[in-house]
């Protein structure tokens, strides 16, 4: 029932084992859905469900009660429709010209983000004589997608009835993760004013941070992504249960003498006789090269035999090195695994070492791992 789009890699052949806990995913969704009731909780599954696999994630959310889903692209919506024949599916990146019939045939809903898209959807619905549903996306200060507030007012005041069904009015927050940021209050105020012009149309504003925040931001439907996947929202709202575990194979151990360097560029020199474990994963597996280590800057850590061990030197395409000198002899050998995510190391910790965000760590997770879905 749970399918994955990734080519299966046998566990004994893989450089790393990626474990995705669908039970934790479902529990996180259910937790948020409870917090926001009576508002409805959607699931955002764009970017291949933040890199975790669209189909397995979608099934887990559906079983946990999710009925409304957001993807970015029509290609993702097609896959999701096959997985969930009855779901309500919105496509956030809008209506690409010529794709209108696909929306009708697969019962998908575009998030219309410009007047040009609205006119095209209206023309199509007029032509086929069906008032198909769509979301209207209004920009309230992010300057990314959406009608300007003035265009939204124009739409509300237009004398002719719309030839399509406005099933959702939405906007997106730029700084919800920073409660002190003045833009959130301004976006909320503007969105409330616009929503008042469309009585009876369900409204949606909240991403993860806003879903975890003030009830005033929830409106009728919330759209959490990252929190459900166990990451922090940008800036630092408390994470729910971790969902991802990543164990990487140690393929050999070697001694490196004091004063010798490890890896490309000889970027890090060891200050003592060191036991170095070589791990079979690198930046081709989505581990950011920026998380590597050098004499100037400490890199990420992995857990080996219950101990935190630092990376040594640069991350290569398919390999990296960790210092396991502190692990007692006999507790680590070739064939063991080092944990890069899990056992207390979250996606956000790894992200910090690479000057990025947990979102990017998740969506970059490699295709060469043995993927295991549990729960
Ligand atoms: C990605 C996205 C979300 C989810 O954001 P998170 O920060 O992951 O919760 C919600 N709404 C829109 C429009 C998005 O693009």
């Amino acid at each position: 029932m749970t399918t994955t789009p990734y080519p299966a890699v046998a566990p004994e052949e893989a450089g790393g084992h990626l474990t995705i806990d669908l039970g934790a995913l479902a529990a996180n969704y259910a937790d948020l859905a409870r917090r926001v009731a009576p508002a409805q909780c959607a699931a955002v599954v764009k970017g291949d469900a933040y890199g975790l696999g669209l189909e397995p994630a979608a099934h887990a959310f559906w079983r946990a009660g999710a009925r409304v889903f957001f993807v970015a692209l029509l290609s993702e919506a097609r896959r999701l429709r096959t997985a969930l024949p009855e779901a309500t599916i919105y496509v956030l990146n809008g209506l690409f010209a010529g794709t209108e019939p696909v929306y009708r045939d697969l019962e998908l809903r575009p998030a219309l983000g410009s007047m040009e898209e609205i006119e095209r959807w209206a023309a199509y619905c007029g032509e086929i004589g069906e008032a198909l549903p769509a979301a209207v996306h209004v920009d309230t200060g992010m300057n990314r997608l959406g009608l300007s507030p003035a265009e939204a007012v124009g739409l509300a005041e237009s004398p002719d009835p719309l030839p399509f069904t406005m099933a959702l009015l939405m906007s997106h927050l730029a700084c919800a993760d920073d409660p002190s940021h003045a833009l959130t209050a301004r976006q909320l105020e503007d969105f409330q004013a616009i929503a008042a012009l469309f009585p009876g149309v369900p409204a949606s504003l909240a991403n993860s941070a806003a879903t975890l925040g003030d009830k005033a931001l929830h409106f009728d439907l919330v759209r959490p992504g990252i929190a459900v996947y166990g990451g922090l929202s940008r800036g630092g709202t408390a994470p729910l249960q971790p969902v991802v575990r990543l164990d990487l194979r140690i393929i050999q151990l070697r001694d490196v003498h004091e004063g010798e360097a490890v890896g490309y560029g000889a970027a890090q020199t060891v200050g003592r006789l060191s036991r170095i474990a070589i791990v079979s994963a690198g930046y081709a597996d989505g581990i950011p090269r920026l998380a590597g280590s050098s004499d100037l800057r400490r890199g990420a850590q992995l857990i080996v035999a219950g101990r935190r061990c630092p990376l040594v030197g640069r991350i290569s395409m398919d390999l990296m090195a960790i210092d396991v000198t502190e692990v007692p002899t006999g507790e680590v050998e070739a064939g063991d695994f080092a944990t890069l995510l899990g056992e207390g190391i979250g996606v956000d910790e790894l992200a910090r070492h690479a000057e990025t965000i947990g979102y990017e760590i998740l969506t970059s997770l490699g295709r060469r791992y043995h993927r295991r879905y549990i729960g």
Side-chain angles (χ1 to χ4, degrees):
M1 174 202 47
T2 289
T3 57
T4 158
Y6 301 99
V9 182
E12 66 277 12
E13 297 182 8
H17 294 177
L18 178 65
T19 308
I20 293 158
D21 186 345
L22 298 174
L25 200 63
N28 288 345
Y29 171 82
D31 180 355
L32 291 183
R34 249 190 326 271
R35 291 185 202 213
V36 303
Q40 196 182 1
C41 189
V44 180
V45 293
K46 65 191 181 188
D48 199 30
Y50 288 47
L52 304 193
L54 177 64
E55 288 81 3
H59 283 128
F61 289 134
W62 182 267
R63 283 194 299 271
R67 294 296 176 265
V68 181
F69 293 77
F70 289 85
V71 293
L73 294 166
L74 198 50
S75 58
E76 298 175 318
R78 279 180 189 279
R79 281 172 54 191
L80 185 56
R81 175 54 77 221
T82 304
L84 298 179
E86 293 169 51
T88 297
I89 302 172
Y90 288 100
V91 180
L92 288 166
N93 282 12
L95 185 66
F96 298 175
T99 61
E100 295 84 356
V102 183
Y103 281 89
R104 190 192 64 162
D105 295 348
L106 297 179
E107 293 185 59
L108 306 170
R109 301 178 177 191
L112 305 170
S114 67
M115 284 313 291
E116 193 258 325
E117 288 183 1
I118 287 190
E119 281 153 22
R120 208 142 29 72
W121 189 244
Y124 178 70
C125 290
E127 211 173 280
I128 64 169
E130 289 178 55
L132 298 174
V136 171
H137 191 161
V138 179
D139 181 61
T140 49
M142 187 159 178
N143 288 301
R144 196 175 64 172
L145 293 176
L147 310 195
S148 69
E151 287 170 332
V153 170
L155 189 68
E157 290 176 348
S158 106
D160 310 316
L162 286 173
F164 64 89
T165 303
M166 208 167 136
L168 187 70
L169 177 74
M170 61 172 282
S171 188
H172 194 46
L173 295 166
C175 309
D177 48 279
D178 176 1
S180 67
H181 204 293
L183 184 55
T184 304
R186 226 164 60 220
Q187 286 194 268
L188 172 61
E189 202 174 301
D190 289 355
F191 189 62
Q192 280 167 331
I194 292 162
L197 302 175
F198 296 93
V201 177
S204 177
L205 180 64
N207 57 3
S208 291
T211 297
L212 291 162
D214 194 335
K215 275 235 169 243
L217 298 164
H218 293 170
F219 292 87
D220 302 297
L221 179 76
V222 298
R223 311 184 306 266
I226 193 71
V228 182
Y229 299 100
L232 297 173
S233 54
R234 269 166 276 254
T237 316
L240 306 180
Q241 290 184 44
V243 174
V244 172
R245 179 183 175 104
L246 181 55
D247 298 299
L248 306 175
R249 182 188 298 272
I250 295 171
I251 49 178
Q252 58 170 267
L253 290 149
R254 57 199 306 129
D255 291 322
V256 176
H257 295 289
E258 180 184 348
E260 290 191 5
V262 176
Y264 281 123
Q268 187 167 2
T269 302
V270 300
R272 59 175 178 181
L273 172 64
S274 301
R275 192 86 178 129
I276 300 296
I278 307 300
V279 169
S280 179
Y283 60 77
D285 299 294
I287 300 163
R289 192 168 167 279
L290 214 51
S293 192
S294 74
D295 289 329
L296 304 175
R297 184 174 171 280
R298 299 265 113 187
Q301 299 178 334
L302 292 87
I303 310 277
V304 179
R307 282 181 181 72
R308 277 183 174 254
C309 298
L311 281 177
V312 193
R314 290 185 187 158
I315 294 172
S316 309
M317 186 184 292
D318 318 292
L319 294 166
M320 50 199 207
I322 41 185
D323 186 337
V324 295
T325 312
E326 300 297 326
V327 178
T329 322
E331 285 190 30
V332 54
E333 52 185 57
D336 289 351
F337 283 77
T339 302
L340 182 62
L341 294 172
E343 293 192 32
I345 301 180
V347 291
D348 298 285
E349 177 182 330
L350 178 58
R352 269 194 302 280
H353 285 290
E355 293 172 29
T356 182
I357 53 179
Y359 299 71
E360 196 178 27
I361 299 294
L362 289 175
T363 55
S364 305
L365 287 169
R367 310 298 185 234
R368 301 192 294 189
Y369 300 129
H370 169 66
R371 275 191 179 227
R372 205 157 64 97
Y373 291 92
I374 60 169

